[in-house]
Amino acid sequence: MQCPKVVLSNLQKKSLDEKYQYTRLYRNLYNPDFFLLAYDNLSKNDGALTMGVDQRSIDGFSMEEVSRLIEALKNKSYQPYPSKRVYIPKKNGKKRPLGIPSFCDKLVQEVIRMILEAIYEPNFSNSSHAYRKGKSCHSALLEIKRTFTGCKWFIEGDIKGFFDNIEHHTLVKILRRRIADETFIELIWKFLRGGYLDEWKFHNTYSGAPQGGIISPILSNIYLNELDTCMESFKTNFNKGKGRKKNTEYKRLSNKVRELQKKIDRAYEQGNLENIESLKEKLKALKQELSEIAYGDPMDNGYKRLTYVRYADDFLIGIIGSKEDAQSVRDEIATFLKADLNLELSMEKTLITNASSKCAQFLGYEVKVFKSQTIRTDSLGRKRRLLNGKVQLKMPHSVWVNKLQKYQAIEMGANGTWKPRPRNYFQRNEDLEIVAQYNSEIRGLYNYYRLAENVSNHMHRFAYFMFYSMLKTFATKYRTRTKQIRQKYMKNGRFTVEYETKRGIKQIHFIERSFPRVYGLSKEQTDLVPNTRYILSTTKLSDRIKAETCELCRRSNTTIHMHHVKRLKNLRKKSSKSYLEQQMIARNRKTIALCKECHMKRHKGEI
């Protein structure tokens, strides 16, 4: 059978022909290497150890499981388990439902996801930024900053319960345009209609794609790509004019400036220096007046522009035009979503905002268009109004306050102002863990809001409260005062905790309070700092399975079961470690390849 990467590459090449239909996709699910590649992808995620309704996780994965899946797929008897419904809290206090599939279903879904991604990803709109390689919340925000210059109105899009209301028949109809393999389509139908268990009660799913499913993100992008395509064609029809008409008042004053400048030049040539000073004063006043007038006609109805950016089911539209134009665009989108995608645009939450007087909310940032006549010197030494019309990205004040309240790091004082408080739930943690946790929380907030213009100001205040909350936490833990804590831990002006390792004494410091604004991010920097500590070895998990050698008892030519742990550091903390755990620590791996007998003994506690 062909290498999965070769198959995916060939699928991707065919995707550039929009009229091409794929006819033999299901047969790729008979290829064991596809499942091993899917296993490699899933093993890097901590959620792989979360159990589904079958009470199984990634732990114990073997080629026997792959063989059973392939056999069930060949004879069409494969039926996915219902997903396990869990709820996670949202920012507004409500709860978001997640559907957790069983691990064998995750494997099949991951293979489907790779195939669908190869087919559809090259044709997705550049306006779409969710669940795509090299794109993220930050890339969407940078796109807004780059393309929304001069917008007069914002439309903040809000689709009612998008993931719960994806219409299955409409989705399958969209898939059938490119995929002419009914067996493959039928497999996707099985996942869409698989149902879910909520408190061990089965519920059918007649619409929606459960958040938490492996294929849900790619299916949602395929579904909303219809909206992206609609917006592209709508944008072409909406845009008018090559540029604004020149403001008549600006033209009149600029002519006066030129005439005065000529008079001054002639006065110098003729040696008439008496009137030069008065002429210069008039010229200066005229230039000042000219700098306060728009170059283009702001009321020019012959010039219109529309820009659009989407992240999952959230989208933001920028309009250069009238408020009536913005209302018309919103109504057109609502009509399209209802007629073509069976979705409802929340008219109450889809706000039309004046871009220069009020901030729009998008992906946790405040977005506003700067309105200023301030003169700045550009890179060529020319004096220009560089800030006027530029997009501002701001960090809302409520974000860091809400974070502190969530962490229970502040409380309201008697005089009505916030003051730091100890986080008593950390009292049993090690000093090292407390400092590391505070650092992690500060770094996480900064990493997300580092594009904001006011990030430095807000993050300094956030770090200030976190620092004094940490001091009070240490003081409560050791039943002393913050003054004594500072005397004990402050070294060279920084809060320092020392800890002992095999290589000697090491130190951890409270985070440096330097939070510069970042102007642009590379693809590798988007959203989060990559986690490079997962595995140091270059050997793939699938290669270790294929080797058929137990890494504990060294038996060869045997079926391998991969044993997984969630955190390697949890093993390091244990005072007494088994030989197996010592082997995992020595190799710096969260996995170990075991034969069936050794794996059963491990779970019985015999090794």
Side-chain angles (χ1 to χ4, degrees), residues 426 429-438 470 474 477:
F426 280 158
N429 290 50
E430 297 290 334
D431 293 358
L432 169 65
E433 292 176 323
I434 296 172
V435 178
Q437 183 65 27
Y438 273 91
M470 184 186 67
F474 272 87
K477 178 182 176 180

Side-chain angles (χ1 to χ4, degrees), residues 127-279:
S127 302
S128 170
H129 291 263
Y131 319 123
R132 298 179 66 189
K133 290 178 182 177
K135 288 183 177 283
S136 64
C137 295
H138 284 153
S139 68
L141 291 160
L142 289 171
E143 182 74 9
I144 288 170
K145 191 167 180 64
R146 186 177 67 84
T147 61
F148 278 51
T149 302
C151 285
K152 302 298 180 186
W153 302 94
F154 289 135
I155 303 173
E156 304 171 49
D158 186 275
I159 300 173
K160 282 187 180 177
F162 168 66
F163 281 95
D164 294 330
N165 292 311
I166 291 175
E167 214 278 318
H168 292 166
H169 289 279
T170 305
L171 174 59
V172 170
K173 184 180 175 182
I174 294 167
L175 290 170
R176 280 184 176 139
R177 291 179 199 162
R178 300 299 308 269
I179 299 171
D181 184 343
E182 283 303 313
T183 315
F184 188 78
I185 295 287
E186 181 61 32
L187 182 60
I188 294 175
W189 262 115
K190 286 182 178 181
F191 284 110
L192 292 173
R193 293 293 177 91
Y196 64 91
L197 287 182
D198 191 357
E199 295 182 354
W200 298 106
K201 290 182 181 178
F202 178 77
H203 300 268
N204 284 308
T205 47
Y206 300 107
S207 65
Q211 289 175 270
I214 305 296
I215 59 172
S216 295
I218 186 71
L219 291 178
S220 69
N221 270 344
I222 293 168
Y223 202 75
L224 282 181
N225 190 55
E226 299 297 302
L227 174 62
D228 300 338
T229 307
C230 169
M231 290 305 299
E232 286 297 323
S233 59
F234 188 83
K235 178 181 176 180
T236 305
N237 297 326
F238 182 87
N239 290 355
K240 270 174 73 176
K242 292 183 179 180
R244 290 185 188 278
K245 290 180 182 176
K246 198 171 181 179
N247 191 342
T248 52
E249 182 63 18
Y250 187 92
K251 190 186 292 186
R252 185 183 67 81
L253 284 175
S254 60
N255 288 336
K256 277 190 172 185
V257 167
R258 278 195 295 271
E259 288 171 8
L260 265 175
Q261 187 63 55
K262 285 179 182 179
K263 283 183 180 181
I264 292 170
D265 293 341
R266 280 197 300 270
Y268 273 115
E269 288 172 4
Q270 295 168 4
N272 186 11
L273 304 178
E274 295 177 2
N275 297 327
I276 285 179
E277 289 303 320
S278 61
L279 289 173

Side-chain angles (χ1 to χ4, degrees), residues 274-368:
E274 295 177 2
N275 297 327
I276 285 179
E277 289 303 320
S278 61
L279 289 173
K280 281 186 175 180
E281 288 294 327
K282 287 181 182 178
L283 182 64
K284 186 178 178 180
L286 271 177
K287 283 186 175 179
Q288 179 62 36
E289 190 178 348
L290 190 67
S291 69
E292 296 172 359
I293 297 173
Y295 176 82
D297 182 4
M299 305 305 291
D300 181 11
N301 293 323
Y303 180 77
K304 293 181 181 179
R305 288 291 184 272
L306 181 148
T307 46
Y308 161 82
V309 168
R310 178 178 66 81
Y311 187 89
D313 57 333
D314 292 328
F315 61 87
L316 188 68
I317 297 172
I319 300 285
I320 296 179
S322 65
K323 188 174 183 180
E324 289 72 26
D325 289 328
Q327 290 170 338
S328 173
V329 171
R330 181 184 65 176
D331 295 341
E332 288 278 352
I333 293 169
T335 303
F336 171 80
L337 288 173
K338 188 68 179 174
D340 290 56
L341 299 179
N342 290 304
L343 295 172
E344 188 177 351
L345 191 69
S346 174
M347 302 304 280
E348 299 80 20
K349 294 182 180 179
T350 302
L351 305 176
I352 296 175
T353 308
N354 189 303
S356 57
S357 62
K358 193 177 178 182
C359 294
Q361 303 290 327
F362 188 66
L363 300 179
Y365 276 72
E366 290 180 343
V367 185
K368 189 178 180 181

